[in-house]
Amino acid sequence: MTDAIQHSAVRKQYEDILNIQKQEGNSLNIYLRKILEYAICNVPFYEQISTPELHKFPVMSKITYKEQGQRCRSREYLENKKLYIASTSGSTGTPLIVYQDANKKARMRADLIAAHEAVGWNLGDHYIFIRNWVSNYKQSTLKNIAQNVVNISVTEFGEEKKEWLCLHLQKKTGSIIFGYASSVCDFLNYIRKKKINARELKVKLIICDSDELTSVNRKLLEEAFGCIVINRYDNEENGLLAISSPYKDTLMVNYPSIYVELLKLDSDEHVEPGEMGRVVVTDLFNRAMPLIRYDIGDLAISPDPAGKIRTFSSLNGRRADCIYSTDGKIISAVAISSITEIFDTIMRYQLIQISKTCFEFHYIGEISERNMLELSNRLHTALGSKAEIRYIEEYNIPLEKSGKAKTIVNAVKKEKNRNGESYSI
């Protein structure tokens, strides 16, 4: 084990994770029962629940946590000044503050160490971190040096910075690229445009995070750079949720630390294997503010049965970002990317739903008359024959405030449901 994880708390969690993986998760029911028992005894919001059975706990939204405030926090930690604070991005309009105890923080660190080591990222490896470096994420220069990282902000990732990155990678062979999938793919487009041999940069590993990595783009990156490309799924509140294996699109759930349910879109019943559902997470280690049956706002599909979800076959984006076909069927970003990814001259795109039947397809790149006809036919198959689609060529498609590139946008007037979530009308 490396010196960086000799800290006793992190080491203890790291060894526990490896032990659970060796046992194939046989002890997880004990961890789940413990956090449910703890919540009933120490969290006012749950004190009326009689027995520690998961189905007796309500599904929680960000709105519920915000409304209930301290009633969702453990009495044992209310006066603890050593708590860590995690904040959601608020990209869907509902930021949430989550309090984490030291044990949870150590677990999150150990989760990443174990998961990264499994795909070849060892502590001490030099890496490039591409993300939206807003003030609450910025690190000091000394910390960056200590962690052997170079941070690049997506807002400054233009041609000049991409040129610098190519030169830097040539000097720092064996580096890791870690960042938003859209930014990494944008870097690949630059390399192609400049006719640079990406393999000469000798990148050790690419890990994409925070927005959609399609199967086609993963394979393109692997072929171009000659290295493994991994998809990582996480959030600020819970930490690592899932991570893919080399050369695969399927993501393995971080089951040593979280318990995942997939629930139907219109009820709290479990979905069938292969059916898209809402991702609902129970955190097994945060006692300061137990997140139990927390609807994180994402959609996903798993081939696994309820109660044994260990894999995601696809991540389908934020529910609030989904659009709808003219007959009311939900359409995710993954569904649209499966249509557009066969057209390699489309560098970037954004499909905006204006009304129930009106859509705008904004794109950067060139589309031949033949491909435009094919694209239109495919989009109409997904959106409905009555869909009116306007195609708009752009020179630039702005990023979101978060620094991510949204491929679908629902601009239809929305109202709130009983959980405070937005839905189209």
Side-chain angles (χ1 to χ4, degrees), residues 10-66:
V10 177
R11 184 177 68 249
K12 179 182 177 182
Q13 298 296 342
Y14 173 86
E15 292 173 349
D16 183 62
I17 291 165
L18 296 186
N19 186 51
I20 289 172
Q21 291 172 340
K22 287 178 183 177
Q23 297 177 359
E24 297 185 348
N26 293 332
S27 61
L28 291 182
N29 286 337
I30 297 174
Y31 282 116
L32 179 59
R33 186 176 181 86
K34 280 184 176 180
I35 194 67
L36 299 182
E37 289 175 341
Y38 182 85
I40 292 172
C41 294
N42 296 282
V43 180
F45 183 79
Y46 296 118
E47 61 188 2
Q48 299 302 317
I49 296 176
S50 57
T51 55
E53 298 174 70
L54 189 62
H55 71 272
K56 293 188 176 182
F57 285 70
V59 176
M60 304 285 282
S61 67
K62 292 180 183 179
I63 290 290
T64 307
Y65 283 116
K66 291 184 69 178

Side-chain angles (χ1 to χ4, degrees), residues 406-420:
K406 278 190 178 180
T407 55
I408 62 173
V409 174
N410 193 329
V412 183
K413 183 181 177 182
K414 297 183 178 181
E415 290 188 351
K416 301 284 186 180
N417 64 14
R418 59 186 175 85
N419 291 324

Side-chain angles (χ1 to χ4, degrees), residues 28 31-32 35 255-259 282-286 291:
L28 291 182
Y31 282 116
L32 179 59
I35 194 67
Y255 65 85
S257 300
I258 61 170
Y259 182 89
T282 295
D283 195 313
L284 302 178
F285 286 89
N286 189 13
L291 297 179

Side-chain angles (χ1 to χ4, degrees), residues 107-172:
R107 187 72 177 198
M108 292 171 67
R109 176 72 171 143
D111 280 331
L112 290 178
I113 293 170
H116 288 170
E117 283 186 350
V119 297
W121 183 354
N122 299 309
L123 284 171
D125 286 346
H126 177 67
Y127 68 102
I128 314 299
F129 197 175
I130 309 171
R131 67 162 300 150
N132 184 26
W133 286 102
V134 291
S135 58
N136 56 316
Y137 289 117
K138 287 182 179 177
Q139 298 180 160
S140 67
T141 302
L142 286 176
K143 191 170 184 179
N144 288 340
I145 293 172
Q147 293 184 348
N148 203 10
V149 58
V150 172
N151 296 325
I152 296 178
S153 174
V154 293
T155 59
E156 301 171 356
F157 200 37
E159 290 216 353
E160 186 176 335
K161 198 67 175 180
K162 292 184 179 76
E163 181 182 3
W164 175 89
L165 180 54
C166 286
L167 295 173
H168 179 79
L169 291 172
Q170 288 172 347
K171 295 176 183 177
K172 287 275 191 177

